[in-house]
């Protein structure tokens, strides 16, 4: 009998699992893959980005509200979910930037902070792990720390000499970085909006693009998942404090998104199995290995 395939998606805050790779995880859930979302922090220092909820009672209970939102999004995506228990670092603003708050996730020692994730990897035994690149996808200190901890745990989980007290070793087979936006993707959505006679929300992005590196060339794997874009958006809307349902993310009609860019894109960063490039499946090269175990 073939071994059950397992995917672990490691994210910094509640809502990240719904804005980064969510349609991919929903697709694999529908295929019978076990998916575990790992949330590093509680999002306690996140902003309230929905003006309808920017109220004192919401701010006073933001930690509990964000946990309830995570519960709702988890149910929509059909995933399991675990909290690592670290405290949100917040996004520092100003020039110069203020110091990060003491005890926050981004200030933890990486070797120590990787321990809880190593334990989860050994318990859940994922074949594939997804997380962010070295820039965190965008330079939020918690996203960068999420990258560091994910890479450290991936490299340590299979080593019996490291963290021996945290369970029997398990080596995940592939580690991916989520590539949420590339210049080609933004251009495809922008041109699709203009061709439909609609105002593009990406105009400003494109004017700034010369100052930003394009991660498009890093993409190794494109997962066809347009069918699950509505699930992704429903999960994102469940994080009501973090997303304005009338805002930027929902300006592009669903049918246009599905037609213009029907994939979610990833960079294969580590692998202990062989799979031809480019890929269309995070489990390419894994399915055969899992079947043989």
């Amino acid at each position: 009998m073939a071994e059950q395939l397992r995917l672990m998606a490691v994210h910094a805050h509640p809502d990240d699992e719904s804005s980064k790779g969510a349609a991919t995880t929903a697709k694999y859930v529908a295929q019978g893959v076990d998916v575990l979302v790992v949330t590093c922090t509680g999002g306690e220092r996140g902003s309230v980005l929905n003006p309808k909820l920017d109220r004192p009672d919401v701010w006073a209970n933001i930690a509990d509200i964000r946990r309830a939102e995570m519960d709702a999004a988890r149910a929509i995506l059909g995933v399991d979910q675990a909290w690592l228990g670290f405290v949100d670092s917040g996004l520092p603003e100003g020039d110069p930037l203020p110091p990060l708050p003491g005890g926050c996730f981004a200030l933890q020692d990486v070797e120590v902070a990787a321990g809880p994730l190593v334990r989860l990897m050994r318990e859940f035994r994922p074949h594939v792990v997804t997380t962010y690149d070295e820039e965190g996808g965008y330079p939020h200190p918690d996203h960068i720390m999420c990258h560091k901890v994910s890479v450290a745990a991936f490299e340590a989980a299979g080593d019996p000499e490291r963290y021996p007290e945290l369970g029997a070793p398990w080596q995940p087979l592939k580690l991916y970085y989520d590539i949420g936006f590339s210049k080609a993707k933004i251009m495809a959505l922008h041109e699709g909006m203009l061709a439909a006679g609609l105002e593009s929300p990406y105009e400003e992005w494109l004017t700034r693009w010369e100052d930003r590196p394009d991660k498009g060339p890093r993409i190794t794997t494109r997962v066809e998942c347009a069918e699950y874009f509505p699930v992704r958006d429903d999960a994102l809307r469940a994080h009501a404090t973090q997303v304005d349902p009338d805002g930027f993310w929902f300006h592009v009609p669903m049918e246009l998104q599905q037609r213009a860019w029907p994939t979610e894109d990833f960079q294969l960063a580590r692998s202990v199995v062989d799979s031809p490039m480019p890929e269309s499946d995070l489990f390419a090269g894994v399915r055969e290995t899992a079947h043989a175990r």
Side-chain angles (χ1 to χ4, degrees):
M1 181 178 295
E3 183 178 358
Q4 174 67 40
L5 294 176
R6 293 177 294 275
L7 170 65
M8 173 182 282
V10 188
H11 291 283
H13 310 106
D15 79 78
D16 290 327
E17 85 296 327
S18 297
S19 61
K20 301 166 186 65
T24 295
T25 55
K27 174 179 180 173
Y28 284 121
V29 167
Q31 291 181 353
V33 175
D34 283 346
V35 179
L36 176 65
V37 166
V38 179
T39 313
C40 293
T41 79
E44 303 89 346
R45 292 190 170 97
S47 302
V48 175
L49 301 175
N50 183 347
K52 302 177 187 67
L53 295 177
D54 190 0
R55 307 190 308 260
D57 61 306
V58 171
W59 282 104
N61 298 284
I62 191 66
D64 290 341
I65 290 171
R66 296 207 69 181
R67 280 186 169 264
E69 291 173 345
M70 182 70 246
D71 288 343
R74 178 179 67 226
I76 291 167
L77 292 172
V79 301
D80 293 321
Q81 187 255 344
W83 301 92
L84 283 195
F86 295 104
V87 177
D88 190 345
S89 306
L91 181 60
E93 296 179 302
D95 188 12
L97 292 174
L100 294 172
C104 69
F105 180 45
L107 292 181
Q108 302 301 308
D109 179 89
V110 173
E111 191 75 9
V112 174
L117 187 55
V118 169
R119 182 192 297 274
L120 271 180
M121 285 185 179
R122 290 175 176 176
E123 291 174 352
F124 181 64
R125 304 194 306 166
H127 300 96
V128 174
V129 177
T130 66
T131 190
Y132 316 139
D133 66 15
E134 63 280 355
E135 296 175 351
Y138 80 105
H140 189 297
D142 284 338
H143 285 241
I144 294 170
M145 186 63 168
C146 180
H147 160 81
K148 294 177 180 179
V149 167
S150 298
V151 171
F154 182 91
E155 295 178 344
D159 187 343
E161 296 185 0
R162 300 186 65 189
Y163 306 94
E165 73 283 6
L166 298 182
W170 173 264
Q171 180 57 60
L173 300 179
K174 299 174 87 173
L175 175 69
Y176 286 95
Y177 299 156
D178 180 276
I179 305 295
F181 292 100
S182 62
K183 186 173 183 180
K185 178 178 180 177
I186 297 304
M187 184 63 74
L189 293 168
H190 173 71
E191 291 179 347
M193 289 290 281
L194 297 182
L198 301 171
E199 182 179 356
S200 170
Y202 298 108
E203 187 79 46
E204 185 180 349
W205 280 36
L206 289 170
T207 60
R208 297 199 314 259
W209 202 275
E210 290 184 2
D211 299 326
R212 301 173 57 186
D214 180 16
K215 296 183 179 180
R218 298 173 60 169
I219 294 170
T220 61
T221 312
R222 302 181 188 274
V223 179
E224 292 268 357
C225 53
E227 176 184 352
Y228 298 93
F229 287 0
V231 180
R232 173 203 65 194
D233 284 6
D234 286 345
L236 192 54
R237 279 187 286 263
H239 291 283
T241 59
Q242 300 302 297
V243 179
D244 182 356
D246 301 317
F248 176 89
W249 297 112
F250 304 104
H251 283 181
V252 181
M254 179 57 63
E255 298 79 6
L256 194 154
Q257 292 183 51
Q258 292 170 321
R259 182 175 63 256
W261 203 268
T263 65
E264 288 182 335
D265 307 327
F266 300 85
Q267 176 190 357
L268 179 60
R270 306 276 196 285
S271 182
V272 297
V273 297
D274 293 327
S275 58
M277 296 294 162
E279 300 175 321
S280 60
D281 178 13
L282 300 184
F283 290 91
V286 171
R287 297 180 189 274
E288 298 79 7
T289 303
H291 290 173
R293 288 192 180 190

